[in-house]
C-alpha cells in the first residue's frame, strides 16, 4: 500500500454515457485498485458541469492526491474549467472513455484499463498548457467554420460502432455543401484576412478523430497552433482531406498555418464554433494560453517529451 499521508483521497469525475458506456462496468474494479493502493475514492458523476463546479468550489486540496477524469474531451474540459476557476492545482489522471479521446491520445495513454490505472495511480506527471478562449478554458481544440458540425452531426450509434471512421465518412458527405466564410485573424505580429472553409486553434495535435490535424503541436510550448483551410476549388478539397488524414496538409498552398500566444478571430458573418467537441461561443473570439497550468499523469515507461 502507498503511504499517502494526509492526502489519501482521490476525486473521480466520470461520465457514465461517454463512448459506449463501458466505463460503468469497470467502476468497481477502479474502486478496488484505489483501495489496494491505500486511497479513498470519492466519485462524482458528470452532470453538465454543475456537480464538478460545486465540488471543486468546496474541496480541501490538502486531503487529495489527484483527480481522475473518466470520459471524453468534453468531460475533461468541464473538469479543467472548474479547476482553473477555483485555483485547483491537483495533478490530473485520464481514463479515456469517449469516442475520439484526443486529449488522451496526445499522451499515448493505453486502452487497457489496468495499464491506465497503473499510470493514474503512479507518480510520473508532465506539465501542459491550457488554452483560453473568451475567458473559458479548452484542453485540446477550438474549431470554427463549415465542417465543425461533423462531430455533432455524426450519429452517436455509428460513432460507438465504428469509432473515428464515422467522422471521416461524415466529413466526406459534407463537402458538396460547404462555402467559404470571411475571417480576420489578428496576432501580436500579423493580421490575416482570409475566406476559409474551416479552421482550428490547437493545443493538442488531433481532433474529431483526425489524428494528425496539427502534427507539429506540443502542449508545453506556450503557444497555440492555428490551421485554416482557405477557399479553394471544390475538386481539390477531397485530396486535401486525404492529406489531413496523413498529416501532410501544413505544406498545402490552400492551408494557412502559424503559431501564436494570442489571437483574435472576427467575422462579419455568423460562424459556428466548437470547443473540445461541444458547441462554442459566437465570434469574436479572443485566445490566450495558460502556460504549463496543468499536471497530467503519463507513463513512466513511454513518455519522453518533457
Amino acid at each position: 500500500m502507498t503511504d499517502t499521508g494526509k492526502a489519501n483521497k482521490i476525486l473521480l469525475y466520470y461520465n457514465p454515457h461517454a463512448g459506449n458506456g463501458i466505463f460503468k462496468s469497470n467502476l468497481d474494479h477502479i474502486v478496488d485498485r484505489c483501495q489496494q493502493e491505500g486511497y479513498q475514492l470519492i466519485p462524482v458523476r458528470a452532470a453538465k458541469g454543475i456537480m464538478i463546479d460545486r465540488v471543486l468550489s468546496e474541496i480541501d486540496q490538502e486531503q487529495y492526491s489527484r483527480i481522475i477524469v473518466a470520459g471524453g474531451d468534453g468531460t475533461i474540459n468541464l473538469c479543467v474549467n472548474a479547476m482553473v476557476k477555483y485555483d485547483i492545482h491537483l495533478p490530473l489522471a485520464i481514463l479515456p472513455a469517449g469516442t475520439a479521446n484526443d486529449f488522451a491520445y496526445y499522451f499515448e495513454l493505453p486502452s487497457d484499463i489496468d495499464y491506465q490505472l497503473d499510470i493514474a495511480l503512479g507518480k510520473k506527471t508532465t506539465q501542459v498548457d491550457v488554452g483560453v478562449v473568451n475567458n473559458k478554458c479548452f484542453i485540446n481544440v477550438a474549431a470554427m467554420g463549415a465542417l465543425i458540425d461533423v462531430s455533432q452531426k455524426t450519429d452517436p450509434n455509428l460513432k460507438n460502432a465504428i469509432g473515428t471512421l464515422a467522422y471521416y465518412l461524415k466529413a466526406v458527405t459534407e463537402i458538396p455543401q460547404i462555402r467559404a466564410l470571411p475571417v480576420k485573424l489578428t496576432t501580436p505580429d500579423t493580421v490575416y484576412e482570409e475566406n476559409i472553409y474551416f479552421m482550428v486553434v490547437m493545443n493538442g495535435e488531433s481532433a474529431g478523430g483526425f489524428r494528425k490535424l496539427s502534427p507539429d503541436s506540443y502542449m508545453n510550448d506556450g503557444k497555440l497552433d492555428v490551421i485554416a483551410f482557405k477557399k479553394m476549388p471544390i475538386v481539390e478539397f477531397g485530396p486535401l482531406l486525404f492529406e489531413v488524414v496523413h498529416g501532410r496538409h501544413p505544406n498545402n498552398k490552400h492551408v494557412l498555418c502559424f503559431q501564436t500566444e494570442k489571437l483574435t478571430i472576427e467575422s462579419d458573418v455568423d460562424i459556428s464554433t466548437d470547443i473540445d467537441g461541444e458547441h462554442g461561443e459566437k465570434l469574436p473570439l479572443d485566445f490566450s494560453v495558460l502556460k504549463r497550468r496543468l499536471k497530467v499523469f503519463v507513463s513512466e515507461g513511454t513518455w519522453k517529451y518533457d
Side-chain angles (χ1 to χ4, degrees):
M1 294 178 67
T2 301
D3 181 10
T4 58
K6 183 180 178 182
N8 71 334
K9 294 181 181 179
I10 294 176
L11 183 70
L12 171 65
Y13 180 55
Y14 71 97
N15 182 353
H17 305 298
N20 55 16
I22 196 171
F23 168 78
K24 290 184 290 185
S25 64
N26 288 315
L27 186 54
D28 183 68
H29 181 59
I30 294 168
V31 173
D32 182 48
R33 279 290 306 270
C34 290
Q35 289 181 176
Q36 287 183 41
E37 295 292 332
Y39 293 107
Q40 178 185 1
L41 194 67
I42 310 298
V44 177
R45 191 176 189 272
K48 299 182 179 179
I50 299 171
M51 185 57 68
I52 192 64
D53 191 274
R54 184 183 307 159
V55 169
L56 292 187
S57 71
E58 302 173 349
I59 195 173
D60 179 359
Q61 295 186 64
E62 297 298 320
Q63 295 185 16
Y64 288 80
S65 75
R66 68 203 68 199
I67 297 174
I68 297 178
V69 178
D73 293 330
T75 305
I76 301 169
N77 174 293
L78 291 173
C79 185
V80 171
N81 267 278
M83 291 175 68
V84 172
K85 180 179 180 180
Y86 296 110
D87 199 30
I88 305 298
H89 287 267
L90 293 169
L92 191 69
I94 308 299
L95 301 182
T99 301
N101 300 307
D102 292 301
F103 191 68
Y105 177 79
Y106 178 84
F107 301 106
E108 302 175 354
L109 297 182
S111 58
D112 178 77
I113 184 63
D114 277 304
Y115 191 1
Q116 291 173 10
L117 288 169
D118 288 342
I119 296 171
L121 299 175
K123 297 180 179 179
K124 174 67 173 177
T125 62
T126 188
Q127 290 184 292
V128 298
D129 304 329
V130 173
V132 179
V133 53
N134 289 8
N135 297 316
K136 290 187 177 181
C137 296
F138 66 98
I139 53 166
N140 191 61
V141 60
M144 57 226 65
L147 288 180
I148 66 103
D149 290 335
V150 168
S151 174
Q152 296 165 357
K153 288 180 179 178
T154 304
D155 184 273
N157 294 322
L158 184 62
K159 286 195 289 186
N160 291 337
I162 62 175
T164 56
L165 177 61
Y167 293 114
Y168 301 144
L169 296 176
K170 187 61 180 178
V172 170
T173 66
E174 294 292 311
I175 290 174
Q177 287 78 40
I178 65 173
R179 62 187 181 90
L181 303 170
V183 295
K184 180 180 179 182
L185 313 176
T186 304
T187 74
D189 303 314
T190 310
V191 176
Y192 304 90
E193 295 194 38
E194 299 282 355
N195 291 310
I196 60 124
Y197 287 125
F198 175 70
M199 70 174 291
V200 290
V201 180
M202 300 289 299
N203 187 37
E205 63 181 357
S206 65
F210 293 89
R211 293 305 193 192
K212 299 180 180 180
L213 185 56
S214 185
D216 299 320
S217 287
Y218 291 93
M219 284 193 182
N220 61 359
D221 62 1
K223 296 180 180 180
L224 298 169
D225 291 75
V226 181
I227 303 173
F229 297 85
K230 300 184 287 186
K231 186 177 181 179
M232 70 191 80
I234 200 69
V235 294
E236 296 189 33
F237 204 94
L240 177 56
L241 182 62
F242 181 81
E243 290 187 12
V244 172
V245 172
H246 292 87
R248 298 197 293 262
H249 56 288
N251 295 323
N252 189 289
K253 64 182 179 180
H254 299 303
V255 180
L256 172 66
C257 296
F258 61 89
Q259 289 186 317
T260 185
E261 294 183 15
K262 293 187 177 181
L263 171 69
T264 298
I265 302 177
E266 303 169 276
S267 180
D268 293 330
V269 301
D270 186 33
I271 299 179
S272 297
T273 67
D274 175 292
I275 308 296
D276 285 335
E278 306 294 335
H279 288 287
E281 299 183 359
K282 291 184 177 296
L283 274 60
L285 301 178
D286 290 308
F287 290 86
S288 58
V289 184
L290 298 177
K291 298 180 181 181
R292 294 177 173 260
R293 172 58 178 81
L294 200 62
K295 285 185 178 181
V296 177
F297 284 94
V298 292
S299 170
E300 293 192 32
T302 62
W303 185 251
K304 55 186 181 294
Y305 296 109
D306 285 330

